[in-house]
Amino acid sequence: MTVFGGLTALLGMLLFQRALGMTLRANPSTKIPYWRNAQVRPLGSTSLRALGAALLVIGAVLLGTTGWYWPFLLVLAGPGAALLSIATHNRRVARNG
């Protein structure tokens, strides 16, 4: 169950990051807001985010049977990487524009 939970959570994070990458590429010269949708949302991006979030939560629940720290680390790693990507993109836009 641990391997399945880990793979499910990893797949969820990858889908979530793919959706973010699609959004960043669709808005090359526009800052991305942290808590709202971007100006341009690519087709399928919202669906990928929803599926990725669902798989991440399912994986965290499945990993919750092995210990408290694995789900905690996974739940923090995905959004942490997303916030870092958005911050990097916004800094690049501010520097170029």
Side-chain angles (χ1 to χ4, degrees), residues 23 27 31-41 45-46 49:
T23 303
N27 296 281
K31 286 188 174 186
I32 305 293
Y34 287 98
W35 310 114
R36 295 186 320 259
N37 288 325
Q39 281 184 341
V40 177
R41 288 182 291 165
S45 171
T46 305
R49 269 190 294 174

Side-chain angles (χ1 to χ4, degrees), residues 18-34 36-43 45-46 49 85-97:
R18 172 72 176 142
L20 178 61
M22 290 169 59
T23 303
L24 293 177
R25 279 190 302 280
N27 296 281
S29 61
T30 307
K31 286 188 174 186
I32 305 293
Y34 287 98
R36 295 186 320 259
N37 288 325
Q39 281 184 341
V40 177
R41 288 182 291 165
L43 187 63
S45 171
T46 305
R49 269 190 294 174
S85 297
I86 292 171
T88 303
H89 173 80
N90 288 346
R91 254 184 269 133
R92 186 177 335 116
V93 168
R95 187 176 54 237
N96 292 339

